[in-house]
Amino acid sequence: MILITLPVSPFEQNARILIDSDTKKATFIDPGADIETLLSHCKSEGGIPENIFLTHAHLDHAGGVAKLINLVKKQYGKDIQLFGHKDDEILRDRKSVV
């Protein structure tokens, strides 16, 4: 397992990327911003985006979700799955997040 931790956004919140060493499937955890940088680090390790996990849906943790979904669709031609706590659904459903 490869773990990449990068501070993102003006809040310097830690976004993480987990990449399975065997399958190269990548999970983004709390991609709050700086999505191009996150994707670049993922690619440099041979990662293939599969999932997004949100610890919670505040802006500093979820602000880059829509951009990540769109860029993965554009660059990889596939959808990426979003997971988060059901109580945060109202925040995730806002157009600014997803």
Side-chain angles (χ1 to χ4, degrees):
M1 187 68 66
I2 300 166
L3 173 63
I4 302 167
T5 302
L6 298 166
V8 297
S9 84
F11 298 105
E12 296 201 18
Q13 173 270 326
N14 285 326
R16 291 180 173 80
I17 307 165
L18 285 174
I19 303 172
D20 183 292
S21 300
D22 296 326
T23 66
K24 297 301 183 184
K25 291 181 180 180
T27 298
F28 293 80
I29 302 170
D30 294 335
D34 305 322
I35 299 307
E36 291 91 350
T37 300
L38 293 173
L39 275 173
S40 175
H41 278 80
C42 181
K43 284 181 186 177
S44 73
E45 294 290 340
I48 303 164
E50 290 289 323
N51 303 299
I52 301 169
F53 287 155
L54 297 178
T55 58
H56 61 280
H58 291 166
L59 178 63
D60 58 328
H61 290 251
V65 169
K67 188 170 190 174
L68 180 56
I69 289 170
N70 291 331
L71 283 177
V72 168
K73 183 72 166 179
K74 182 178 177 183
Q75 294 179 14
Y76 292 85
K78 63 185 277 185
D79 292 321
I80 187 170
Q81 193 164 2
L82 174 62
F83 296 93
H85 194 277
K86 66 179 180 126
D87 289 347
D88 283 341
E89 200 169 300
I90 192 167
L91 295 172
R92 287 193 315 272
D93 286 344
R94 296 182 56 115
K95 290 181 188 264
S96 62
V97 176
V98 180

